[in-house]
Amino acid sequence: MRPRILQEFPGIKFVEMGTMMGEQWHALSSVEKKCYKDMAATDKQQFNTKAQRYNSERGMLQEVQASKELDMNIDADSVKAD
């Protein structure tokens, strides 16, 4: 939709484009909006799955890093004790 508006109204300001897109959205029937809402729901599901995987992997990496730091601290303490 944006490319079409930009083509019809070159140089349009961002706020004006948002207003036009909002007007066009409100003019759509619920049947016409359904396909867009379905795409948004699919995208949201994919995002949540990827975010969950990322956060899980990040948590594991932080645990490994914390373990390595703990090991380094223990090694440093044992060297000081000698």
Side-chain angles (χ1 to χ4, degrees):
M1 187 174 284
R2 274 188 199 137
R4 191 170 9 139
I5 292 174
L6 287 172
Q7 188 177 5
E8 289 179 36
F9 304 96
I12 189 171
K13 294 183 180 181
F14 183 77
V15 174
E16 293 169 347
M17 184 179 356
T19 301
M20 290 181 77
M21 290 174 68
E23 290 170 355
Q24 291 177 0
W25 174 256
H26 291 293
L28 293 176
S29 70
S30 58
V31 173
E32 292 171 312
K33 289 180 184 179
K34 185 179 181 339
C35 72
Y36 296 107
K37 289 183 177 185
D38 290 346
M39 284 191 290
T42 300
D43 287 347
K44 184 176 182 178
Q45 175 90 29
Q46 290 174 350
F47 170 81
N48 287 335
T49 301
K50 288 178 182 179
Q52 186 177 14
R53 187 178 316 128
Y54 170 80
N55 289 330
S56 174
E57 290 171 0
R58 185 171 177 229
M60 284 189 266
L61 288 174
Q62 288 175 339
E63 287 177 19
V64 168
Q65 184 177 7
S67 176
K68 286 181 181 178
E69 289 174 2
L70 181 61
D71 289 345
M72 287 178 23
N73 288 338
I74 291 171
D75 290 343
D77 288 344
S78 66
V79 170
K80 288 179 187 176
D82 293 337

